[in-house]
Each structure stands twice: as C-alpha cells, then as structure tokens.
Amino acid sequence: MKAFDFTEVRHILKLAIPLLLTQITASLMFFTDTVMASKAGHVDMASVSIATGLWSPVIFSAQGLLIAVTPVIAHLFGSSKGSNSNQAQMVSTLFQGAYIAAAITIVIVFIFQFVHIPLDNLNLEPELHEKSLGYLHYVVWGILPTCLFFALRAFCEGISVTKPALIVSVIALLANIPLNYIFVFGKFGAPELGGAGCGLATAIVQWISLISLLIYFSISRKLKHYQIFKHVEKPNIESIKMLSKLGTPIALSLLFESSLFAFMALFIAPLGSIAVAGHQVAFSYSAVVFMFPLSLAMAATIRIGYLKGVGDLTKLKRSIKTCFFMACSFGTLVMITTLLFREQIILIYTSNPEVVALAASILIITAIYQLPDAIQVMAAGIFKGLKITKPLFYITFISYWPIGFTLGYLLGRTDYIVPAMGPQGFWVGTVIGLTTASVLFLIWLKITMKKLDFTVAA
C-alpha cells in the first residue's frame, strides 16, 4: 500500500484549512486581550496572564469532554452513506452533548465560587489579586455559551462542515476588540475595569458566538435540514454515559498537556528572569507552530470517524497512512526550519543578548520536539476518530508526567543525572516524554488495527 494517497490529502486539507484558520483567529483573541490590557498598565496585563492561566485548563477540559460528539456524529454520518437514515440519531446526539454542556457549566460555576483560594496562595499584590479575581468572576458567566458552542461545533465537524466555526470565530474577534476597549478603559458609560474588563468582554463574546452559530444552523443549506430547533430531545442516560466515557479520557489528556507546560513555567521561574524569558520564547514559538499539526489531527478525527462509519477498511487504512505521512512531513519541515532559522525566529520576540543565547540553545531541543509532537497529536486524533479514547488517558499521563516532567525536573533542577541544565533540561524531558508518547501510540494503533471488526459500523 502506498505511503499516502493524493485523494485523501485533498480530503484532509479541505477539512484542516478552516480548522487552522479558526485556531489562528482564536489565538488572535488572546493576543488582543493582552495588547489591550497592556495599554491599561503592566498590572492589568499581568492579571490577564494569571487569570487565563487558571481559566485555560478549565476550558480545554470542557472542550475535551465535548469533542466526543465529533467522532460519534462522524460515524453516524459515514454509515448513513449520503441518506438521512441516521439524522434523528445525530440530532439526538447533539442534544445529549448539550445536556453534558449544561452539567459542565453547573460544576464549573460551583468550583469557581472558590477560585479565590489558588489566587490567595500566589501571594499577589493587592491590585493584581483584585483584577485577576475580577477577570475570573466575569469570564465564568460565559461558560454556558462556551460549552454549548463546543457541542454545536462538534456536530458541524462531525458532518465534515468546518467553515461555521471559522466564520463565527471571525465575528467573535471583531466583537472582542471594541468590547475590550469599552470595558478595559470605561468608554460609553461603562465602568473602567482594566484587565478584568477582558474577562467581561470574553463572556459577552461567547454569547455572541453561540447566537451566531445558532443563526448559521437555521440558514445554512447543509445544516438547516437537520431541524435541530423542531423539537427538544429528552436526556438519554445511556447516550450521555457513552459520550462521557469517550470524552473523559480526551479531557484528562488535554488537562495533562496544558498543566505540564504550566508547571514547567512555575519550576523554571526560580531560575531567574533570563531563564523564564528564554523558556517563554521557545514555548510561544512551539504554541504557534503546534496549531498546524493540531489542525491536521482534528481533520483526521473527522475523516477517520467518517470512514469508520462507512466501514471501508482499505480506505480507512489508506487514510491513516496518509495522515501520518502528512504529520511526519510537516514535523520534519518545521524541525529543519527551526534549526536553520532559530536566531531569526528568536529576534522576533527579543533582542536581549542573554535571552537570545539561551533561547537559541532551547530551540535546538525544540526543533527535535517537532517530529514526535506531530506524530503523537496525529495518533491521538486518529484514536478519537476510531472512538477509542482510553489510550489517550494512559499514554499522555505516563509520557508527560512520570517520564517527561520527572526527567525534566531531574535534568533541569538537580545534579542527580548531570549538572543541572536549567530550562534546557525541562525541554529535554519534554522531548523524551513526547517521543515515548508517539512510540506508544503507534504500537497501540498497530494492535488496534488488527482487532478492528468492520462487520457492523459502530
């Protein structure tokens, strides 16, 4: 069998490009928050950074749980083979996802009644503490539309329609800029909230996003025939259990990943401002380039889910090979680019000679990180498409924490293995952790493909 198939490449890119643009637009939302808050003052900018550091893992976990809707819808869509035979079941799945979103909202709102506790333990300056807490108290009002949006977006992506999320994200970005301006600086009679105003703006933007997507559902030719507004589906406990069983490992794997980098930053902080700055350059660059393999992996989840529903084993295997070929090609390209142009990349972020020198050495390690990272995120996307998510929990936990972080700490902060390497040690640990994850994912996938039974489309 060929290493890749051009037809599959086209299918995956058609799905991935809107997903990538959506990721970029979402990152611009955070960028505008940071820039607007920085204009109000360094305390306001710091409050946005601290608050989003606590908020982001919550959002990633909620999104992970609701991502389960995508492969389930994709399977049903694929097994219907162009007919409307599974339409009622697909709409029912969307409603069950919405009920999960409502349950997540209740849990998060309850937890956030105690959000002052971690902030109290950070020993922040009074003004910084007040504005960080203010951001979190405002932004939590956007958690319900955020979770419902995730469920609706997952439905769209399950039927291979990825443009709605992009269109809505552009609307959200355009709304976020003036809303930030109004609430950060107190314009048009609004209170001057500083950095906390970004939290209020974000909450309003989430409601705008949900309403925009619901409108899109009602007018789109591809979506309105599903008639999701025709009647309300009652909660189905078995369906909710099934989605939760699929989504929980995804949510936990995203939590393991986001918390890994958060803890890396915390443990590098005592090494000084130069160490933190060098690490931040490498992390920021990695976050930007990671959007590309992540978008390919999201597209793979949709495509693999569809083909699994169709029940065509030959085409499914061909698509999986193509997905890995694309991931490896991209990872290799970024690795070479990073090695060749690392100094030019660093100068985009800083011109401080000490930071440049440190970041240059870290980016060599970061370059090696690109290939295993592309492989492991693609493998995770394929497993989601197959509706097999337990490996995500086991592999990410073992690879990221007992192996990646533990080894990174030993190399970076202790002399047990080699003289303490500083930030570079943490990144070496991360590379080894990600490499471990990619190898384990490939082994598990090979075993899984041998066991798959396509007599009935699951």
Side-chain angles (χ1 to χ4, degrees):
M1 189 180 293
K2 294 186 295 183
F4 69 97
D5 182 279
F6 279 116
T7 302
E8 285 301 311
V9 169
R10 286 196 297 270
H11 278 302
I12 293 164
L13 287 179
K14 185 178 179 181
L15 294 168
I17 290 172
L19 292 170
L20 172 61
L21 295 174
T22 302
Q23 297 289 328
I24 292 171
T25 308
S27 68
L28 287 174
M29 288 259 300
F30 176 70
F31 175 75
T32 57
D33 284 356
T34 303
V35 170
M36 203 72 74
S38 70
K39 300 297 182 183
H42 69 279
V43 174
D44 296 279
M45 184 171 68
S47 70
V48 171
S49 176
I50 290 168
T52 53
L54 290 172
W55 182 244
S56 294
V58 173
I59 291 299
F60 287 141
S61 300
Q63 185 178 17
L65 195 55
L66 292 164
I67 282 174
V69 172
T70 299
V72 173
I73 296 294
H75 278 223
L76 292 168
F77 186 58
S79 62
S80 66
K81 298 179 181 177
S83 70
N84 294 326
S85 58
N86 291 330
Q87 182 171 312
Q89 195 174 349
M90 291 163 71
V91 172
S92 178
T93 301
L94 171 59
F95 272 93
Q96 306 318 310
Y99 290 125
I100 293 173
I104 293 170
T105 297
I106 294 169
V107 172
I108 291 174
V109 169
F110 174 76
I111 291 172
F112 266 64
Q113 303 310 304
F114 309 96
V115 75
H116 63 278
I117 295 174
L119 287 175
D120 292 344
N121 289 321
L122 289 175
N123 298 317
L124 303 174
E125 300 167 10
E127 184 184 3
L128 180 56
H129 181 283
E130 180 186 353
K131 290 184 175 180
S132 300
L133 188 60
Y135 180 105
L136 293 167
H137 280 162
Y138 284 124
V139 79
V140 76
W141 288 99
I143 188 60
L144 177 59
T146 300
C147 290
L148 290 173
F149 176 84
F150 286 152
L152 288 165
R153 175 182 170 176
F155 179 89
C156 293
E157 292 174 358
I159 59 173
S160 302
V161 179
T162 56
K163 289 181 181 178
L166 172 59
I167 293 168
V168 172
S169 67
V170 172
I171 294 170
L173 177 62
L174 294 175
N176 190 55
I177 296 169
L179 286 170
N180 269 336
Y181 179 72
I182 290 169
F183 293 114
V184 170
F185 301 108
K187 301 298 181 180
F188 305 107
E192 185 178 346
L193 301 174
C198 293
L200 179 55
T202 299
I204 295 172
V205 164
Q206 296 308 325
W207 282 102
I208 292 172
S209 298
L210 174 61
I211 293 167
S212 300
L213 190 54
L214 287 171
I215 293 171
Y216 193 99
F217 261 81
S218 67
I219 63 176
S220 168
R221 282 189 300 116
K222 291 182 178 179
L223 295 172
K224 67 180 180 181
H225 77 273
Y226 287 98
Q227 298 180 307
I228 66 167
F229 304 109
K230 188 175 181 180
H231 64 275
V232 176
E233 291 279 339
K234 294 179 180 179
N236 182 313
I237 300 303
E238 289 304 314
S239 182
I240 289 172
K241 281 183 179 178
M242 179 269 293
L243 288 171
S244 299
K245 187 178 178 181
L246 276 176
T248 300
I250 302 172
L252 290 173
S253 68
L254 290 174
L255 181 62
F256 295 150
E257 184 175 358
S258 59
S259 59
L260 170 67
F261 287 101
F263 272 79
M264 275 178 65
L266 289 174
F267 279 82
I268 288 172
L271 300 176
S273 59
I274 298 296
V276 172
H279 162 74
Q280 187 59 35
V281 168
F283 175 72
S284 298
Y285 171 71
S286 296
V288 170
V289 296
F290 180 68
M291 288 190 287
F292 292 86
L294 177 61
S295 300
L296 288 174
M298 292 168 69
T301 297
I302 299 166
R303 183 63 180 164
I304 297 302
Y306 173 80
L307 292 174
K308 177 66 160 49
V310 170
D312 189 332
L313 178 58
T314 302
K315 191 173 284 188
L316 177 65
K317 287 183 175 181
R318 189 184 303 136
S319 185
I320 289 174
K321 283 180 176 289
T322 301
C323 287
F324 278 118
F325 175 82
M326 295 174 74
C328 291
S329 298
F330 178 81
T332 303
L333 177 63
V334 175
M335 179 173 64
I336 294 170
T337 303
T338 305
L339 286 171
L340 293 178
F341 300 103
R342 62 184 182 277
E343 291 186 4
Q344 291 85 346
I345 292 166
I346 295 163
L347 290 173
I348 296 171
Y349 295 91
T350 181
S351 58
N352 182 297
E354 291 179 273
V355 177
V356 169
L358 176 60
S361 63
I362 296 176
L363 277 191
I364 294 174
I365 303 167
T366 306
I368 301 168
Y369 154 115
Q370 300 305 320
L371 185 56
D373 195 29
I375 293 171
Q376 67 89 22
V377 74
M378 179 56 77
I382 290 168
F383 272 114
K384 291 171 196 173
L386 294 171
K387 294 201 302 185
I388 301 171
T389 58
K390 281 186 180 180
L392 275 66
F393 170 77
Y394 297 119
I395 292 175
T396 54
F397 174 72
I398 292 168
S399 302
Y400 291 173
W401 284 96
I403 296 176
F405 184 77
T406 302
L407 187 57
Y409 179 82
L410 291 173
L411 292 171
R413 292 286 301 274
T414 75
D415 298 326
Y416 290 131
I417 300 175
V418 295
M421 297 172 64
Q424 295 96 321
F426 284 93
W427 281 93
V428 169
T430 301
V431 170
I432 294 172
L434 286 170
T435 303
T436 302
S438 63
V439 171
L440 291 176
F441 271 130
L442 290 174
I443 292 171
W444 205 316
L445 183 60
K446 186 175 182 180
I447 295 169
T448 299
M449 292 306 295
K450 289 181 179 179
K451 292 181 179 178
L452 279 178
D453 180 2
F454 288 89
T455 55
V456 178

PDB file of all heavy atoms in Angstrom, residues 349-368:
ATOM      1  N   TYR A 349      10.974  37.879  18.911  1.00  0.00           N
ATOM      2  CA  TYR A 349      10.476  38.010  20.280  1.00  0.00           C
ATOM      3  C   TYR A 349      11.321  38.954  21.135  1.00  0.00           C
ATOM      4  O   TYR A 349      10.789  39.693  21.959  1.00  0.00           O
ATOM      5  CB  TYR A 349      10.441  36.632  20.959  1.00  0.00           C
ATOM      6  CG  TYR A 349       9.473  35.664  20.353  1.00  0.00           C
ATOM      7  CD1 TYR A 349       9.853  34.801  19.328  1.00  0.00           C
ATOM      8  CD2 TYR A 349       8.162  35.589  20.801  1.00  0.00           C
ATOM      9  CE1 TYR A 349       8.952  33.896  18.773  1.00  0.00           C
ATOM     10  CE2 TYR A 349       7.257  34.694  20.249  1.00  0.00           C
ATOM     11  CZ  TYR A 349       7.662  33.853  19.241  1.00  0.00           C
ATOM     12  OH  TYR A 349       6.767  32.971  18.689  1.00  0.00           O
ATOM     13  N   THR A 350      12.626  38.920  20.966  1.00  0.00           N
ATOM     14  CA  THR A 350      13.510  39.696  21.838  1.00  0.00           C
ATOM     15  C   THR A 350      14.864  39.937  21.169  1.00  0.00           C
ATOM     16  O   THR A 350      15.278  39.169  20.299  1.00  0.00           O
ATOM     17  CB  THR A 350      13.731  38.970  23.182  1.00  0.00           C
ATOM     18  OG1 THR A 350      14.574  39.756  24.029  1.00  0.00           O
ATOM     19  CG2 THR A 350      14.402  37.613  22.974  1.00  0.00           C
ATOM     20  N   SER A 351      15.537  41.004  21.621  1.00  0.00           N
ATOM     21  CA  SER A 351      16.896  41.279  21.141  1.00  0.00           C
ATOM     22  C   SER A 351      17.898  41.243  22.290  1.00  0.00           C
ATOM     23  O   SER A 351      19.073  41.523  22.090  1.00  0.00           O
ATOM     24  CB  SER A 351      16.941  42.652  20.453  1.00  0.00           C
ATOM     25  OG  SER A 351      16.518  43.673  21.346  1.00  0.00           O
ATOM     26  N   ASN A 352      17.425  40.898  23.496  1.00  0.00           N
ATOM     27  CA  ASN A 352      18.316  40.798  24.656  1.00  0.00           C
ATOM     28  C   ASN A 352      19.351  39.697  24.404  1.00  0.00           C
ATOM     29  O   ASN A 352      18.978  38.533  24.194  1.00  0.00           O
ATOM     30  CB  ASN A 352      17.502  40.477  25.912  1.00  0.00           C
ATOM     31  CG  ASN A 352      18.361  40.414  27.165  1.00  0.00           C
ATOM     32  OD1 ASN A 352      19.245  39.572  27.278  1.00  0.00           O
ATOM     33  ND2 ASN A 352      18.094  41.301  28.105  1.00  0.00           N
ATOM     34  N   PRO A 353      20.662  40.031  24.426  1.00  0.00           N
ATOM     35  CA  PRO A 353      21.692  39.041  24.062  1.00  0.00           C
ATOM     36  C   PRO A 353      21.659  37.776  24.921  1.00  0.00           C
ATOM     37  O   PRO A 353      21.844  36.663  24.403  1.00  0.00           O
ATOM     38  CB  PRO A 353      23.011  39.801  24.268  1.00  0.00           C
ATOM     39  CG  PRO A 353      22.636  41.242  24.175  1.00  0.00           C
ATOM     40  CD  PRO A 353      21.252  41.348  24.733  1.00  0.00           C
ATOM     41  N   GLU A 354      21.426  37.937  26.238  1.00  0.00           N
ATOM     42  CA  GLU A 354      21.402  36.767  27.122  1.00  0.00           C
ATOM     43  C   GLU A 354      20.207  35.865  26.811  1.00  0.00           C
ATOM     44  O   GLU A 354      20.335  34.637  26.774  1.00  0.00           O
ATOM     45  CB  GLU A 354      21.340  37.218  28.579  1.00  0.00           C
ATOM     46  CG  GLU A 354      22.607  37.898  29.078  1.00  0.00           C
ATOM     47  CD  GLU A 354      22.465  38.332  30.528  1.00  0.00           C
ATOM     48  OE1 GLU A 354      21.963  39.447  30.765  1.00  0.00           O
ATOM     49  OE2 GLU A 354      22.838  37.541  31.412  1.00  0.00           O
ATOM     50  N   VAL A 355      19.059  36.486  26.580  1.00  0.00           N
ATOM     51  CA  VAL A 355      17.864  35.705  26.266  1.00  0.00           C
ATOM     52  C   VAL A 355      18.022  35.027  24.911  1.00  0.00           C
ATOM     53  O   VAL A 355      17.657  33.852  24.738  1.00  0.00           O
ATOM     54  CB  VAL A 355      16.608  36.599  26.269  1.00  0.00           C
ATOM     55  CG1 VAL A 355      15.374  35.796  25.863  1.00  0.00           C
ATOM     56  CG2 VAL A 355      16.391  37.220  27.644  1.00  0.00           C
ATOM     57  N   VAL A 356      18.587  35.742  23.950  1.00  0.00           N
ATOM     58  CA  VAL A 356      18.802  35.183  22.612  1.00  0.00           C
ATOM     59  C   VAL A 356      19.701  33.951  22.689  1.00  0.00           C
ATOM     60  O   VAL A 356      19.428  32.914  22.072  1.00  0.00           O
ATOM     61  CB  VAL A 356      19.413  36.238  21.662  1.00  0.00           C
ATOM     62  CG1 VAL A 356      19.885  35.590  20.359  1.00  0.00           C
ATOM     63  CG2 VAL A 356      18.406  37.347  21.372  1.00  0.00           C
ATOM     64  N   ALA A 357      20.786  34.058  23.458  1.00  0.00           N
ATOM     65  CA  ALA A 357      21.725  32.935  23.587  1.00  0.00           C
ATOM     66  C   ALA A 357      21.054  31.715  24.209  1.00  0.00           C
ATOM     67  O   ALA A 357      21.229  30.581  23.738  1.00  0.00           O
ATOM     68  CB  ALA A 357      22.934  33.364  24.407  1.00  0.00           C
ATOM     69  N   LEU A 358      20.292  31.947  25.275  1.00  0.00           N
ATOM     70  CA  LEU A 358      19.618  30.835  25.947  1.00  0.00           C
ATOM     71  C   LEU A 358      18.527  30.237  25.056  1.00  0.00           C
ATOM     72  O   LEU A 358      18.439  29.012  24.897  1.00  0.00           O
ATOM     73  CB  LEU A 358      19.005  31.311  27.266  1.00  0.00           C
ATOM     74  CG  LEU A 358      18.188  30.269  28.045  1.00  0.00           C
ATOM     75  CD1 LEU A 358      19.045  29.062  28.406  1.00  0.00           C
ATOM     76  CD2 LEU A 358      17.583  30.891  29.294  1.00  0.00           C
ATOM     77  N   ALA A 359      17.710  31.113  24.464  1.00  0.00           N
ATOM     78  CA  ALA A 359      16.609  30.641  23.617  1.00  0.00           C
ATOM     79  C   ALA A 359      17.129  29.857  22.411  1.00  0.00           C
ATOM     80  O   ALA A 359      16.491  28.897  21.963  1.00  0.00           O
ATOM     81  CB  ALA A 359      15.753  31.818  23.161  1.00  0.00           C
ATOM     82  N   ALA A 360      18.296  30.264  21.877  1.00  0.00           N
ATOM     83  CA  ALA A 360      18.875  29.563  20.726  1.00  0.00           C
ATOM     84  C   ALA A 360      19.189  28.115  21.077  1.00  0.00           C
ATOM     85  O   ALA A 360      18.951  27.196  20.281  1.00  0.00           O
ATOM     86  CB  ALA A 360      20.127  30.283  20.242  1.00  0.00           C
ATOM     87  N   SER A 361      19.730  27.906  22.287  1.00  0.00           N
ATOM     88  CA  SER A 361      20.048  26.532  22.704  1.00  0.00           C
ATOM     89  C   SER A 361      18.774  25.729  22.966  1.00  0.00           C
ATOM     90  O   SER A 361      18.714  24.530  22.676  1.00  0.00           O
ATOM     91  CB  SER A 361      20.927  26.548  23.959  1.00  0.00           C
ATOM     92  OG  SER A 361      20.246  27.128  25.059  1.00  0.00           O
ATOM     93  N   ILE A 362      17.734  26.398  23.497  1.00  0.00           N
ATOM     94  CA  ILE A 362      16.471  25.697  23.740  1.00  0.00           C
ATOM     95  C   ILE A 362      15.788  25.342  22.428  1.00  0.00           C
ATOM     96  O   ILE A 362      15.207  24.255  22.278  1.00  0.00           O
ATOM     97  CB  ILE A 362      15.528  26.556  24.615  1.00  0.00           C
ATOM     98  CG1 ILE A 362      16.136  26.785  26.004  1.00  0.00           C
ATOM     99  CG2 ILE A 362      14.165  25.875  24.760  1.00  0.00           C
ATOM    100  CD1 ILE A 362      15.310  27.697  26.899  1.00  0.00           C
ATOM    101  N   LEU A 363      15.884  26.241  21.429  1.00  0.00           N
ATOM    102  CA  LEU A 363      15.211  25.980  20.154  1.00  0.00           C
ATOM    103  C   LEU A 363      15.825  24.802  19.402  1.00  0.00           C
ATOM    104  O   LEU A 363      15.150  24.181  18.578  1.00  0.00           O
ATOM    105  CB  LEU A 363      15.221  27.232  19.272  1.00  0.00           C
ATOM    106  CG  LEU A 363      14.128  28.274  19.530  1.00  0.00           C
ATOM    107  CD1 LEU A 363      14.096  29.308  18.428  1.00  0.00           C
ATOM    108  CD2 LEU A 363      12.753  27.633  19.659  1.00  0.00           C
ATOM    109  N   ILE A 364      17.085  24.502  19.668  1.00  0.00           N
ATOM    110  CA  ILE A 364      17.673  23.284  19.080  1.00  0.00           C
ATOM    111  C   ILE A 364      16.922  22.060  19.595  1.00  0.00           C
ATOM    112  O   ILE A 364      16.580  21.149  18.839  1.00  0.00           O
ATOM    113  CB  ILE A 364      19.179  23.188  19.414  1.00  0.00           C
ATOM    114  CG1 ILE A 364      19.949  24.321  18.719  1.00  0.00           C
ATOM    115  CG2 ILE A 364      19.733  21.824  18.994  1.00  0.00           C
ATOM    116  CD1 ILE A 364      21.417  24.394  19.116  1.00  0.00           C
ATOM    117  N   ILE A 365      16.648  22.072  20.902  1.00  0.00           N
ATOM    118  CA  ILE A 365      15.886  20.974  21.512  1.00  0.00           C
ATOM    119  C   ILE A 365      14.449  21.002  21.008  1.00  0.00           C
ATOM    120  O   ILE A 365      13.857  19.965  20.686  1.00  0.00           O
ATOM    121  CB  ILE A 365      15.917  21.098  23.058  1.00  0.00           C
ATOM    122  CG1 ILE A 365      17.358  21.120  23.561  1.00  0.00           C
ATOM    123  CG2 ILE A 365      15.140  19.952  23.701  1.00  0.00           C
ATOM    124  CD1 ILE A 365      17.496  21.544  25.006  1.00  0.00           C
ATOM    125  N   THR A 366      13.882  22.219  20.924  1.00  0.00           N
ATOM    126  CA  THR A 366      12.509  22.380  20.446  1.00  0.00           C
ATOM    127  C   THR A 366      12.354  21.863  19.020  1.00  0.00           C
ATOM    128  O   THR A 366      11.305  21.318  18.654  1.00  0.00           O
ATOM    129  CB  THR A 366      12.098  23.867  20.500  1.00  0.00           C
ATOM    130  OG1 THR A 366      12.308  24.365  21.816  1.00  0.00           O
ATOM    131  CG2 THR A 366      10.645  24.048  20.138  1.00  0.00           C
ATOM    132  N   ALA A 367      13.397  22.022  18.203  1.00  0.00           N
ATOM    133  CA  ALA A 367      13.347  21.536  16.821  1.00  0.00           C
ATOM    134  C   ALA A 367      13.162  20.011  16.803  1.00  0.00           C
ATOM    135  O   ALA A 367      12.353  19.483  16.021  1.00  0.00           O
ATOM    136  CB  ALA A 367      14.634  21.924  16.091  1.00  0.00           C
ATOM    137  N   ILE A 368      13.907  19.318  17.660  1.00  0.00           N
ATOM    138  CA  ILE A 368      13.797  17.856  17.738  1.00  0.00           C
ATOM    139  C   ILE A 368      12.399  17.455  18.204  1.00  0.00           C
ATOM    140  O   ILE A 368      11.835  16.437  17.769  1.00  0.00           O
ATOM    141  CB  ILE A 368      14.872  17.298  18.693  1.00  0.00           C
ATOM    142  CG1 ILE A 368      16.270  17.694  18.189  1.00  0.00           C
ATOM    143  CG2 ILE A 368      14.756  15.790  18.839  1.00  0.00           C
ATOM    144  CD1 ILE A 368      17.376  17.446  19.191  1.00  0.00           C
TER     145      ILE A 368
END
